[in-house]
Amino acid sequence: MSYRPVSFISCLCKSLEKIIAARLEWFIKSKGILHKSQAGFRKHRNTKDHIIQLEVDVKEGFTARDSTVAVFLDISKAYDTTWIQGLLFKLSNIGVTSPCLGWLREFLLIEHSASGSVNIYQKPAPF
């Protein structure tokens, strides 16, 4: 048998990550920060919501003899190119307090440095 401490730490991190994510989700919902049409990374919402809304908009436009315009964005590697300092700044601005911010900062810096894909001082990628 092999009892590697890394796998145990990984389990603890995953559990703590879920707890923090649930708390942040509650916080954001309670403050009404996200727009009602935001579907990405939200429970009980997905891209089908936007497809259905697009269909409704196209039918309404067709009925009213109006044009319907849609823009589709696919931001590749969005997580890997996230500007961590900017994210933490925005979380601070919406009222996330120091204990949680400190944990998030440490977790994100460790997570990104382990993957070797993100420089913590990198500027946000242009659209």
Side-chain angles (χ1 to χ4, degrees):
M1 278 191 194
S2 173
Y3 295 101
R4 289 188 234 163
V6 174
S7 62
F8 181 66
I9 291 171
S10 177
C11 291
L12 287 175
C13 283
K14 289 285 184 190
S15 299
L16 192 54
E17 180 182 352
K18 287 181 181 186
I19 291 168
I20 296 292
R23 183 70 177 159
L24 281 174
E25 184 178 339
W26 171 85
F27 179 80
I28 288 170
K29 278 184 182 179
S30 70
K31 297 274 188 179
I33 294 169
L34 295 179
H35 191 273
K36 65 180 182 174
S37 66
Q38 170 74 32
F41 303 104
R42 293 179 77 182
K43 287 183 181 175
H44 311 295
R45 301 215 182 159
N46 56 41
T47 54
K48 290 178 189 174
D49 297 329
H50 292 294
I51 293 169
I52 292 168
Q53 186 60 51
L54 177 62
E55 179 186 17
V56 169
D57 291 344
V58 167
K59 285 181 179 179
E60 287 176 355
F62 186 75
T63 302
R65 297 183 182 262
D66 286 336
S67 297
T68 302
V69 178
V71 176
F72 301 92
L73 296 175
D74 181 14
I75 303 172
S76 64
K77 298 185 180 181
Y79 179 78
D80 292 339
T81 58
T82 299
W83 183 35
I84 295 172
Q85 301 299 339
L87 175 62
L88 294 171
F89 178 76
K90 288 181 179 187
L91 287 170
S92 175
N93 283 345
I94 63 171
V96 177
T97 57
S98 294
C100 186
L101 277 178
W103 184 88
L104 285 170
R105 181 181 183 281
E106 293 301 316
F107 180 79
L108 290 171
L109 293 178
I110 290 169
E111 187 78 14
H112 282 273
S113 66
S115 68
S117 61
V118 174
N119 176 352
I120 63 168
Y121 297 107
Q122 97 184 39
K123 295 188 180 195
F127 292 106

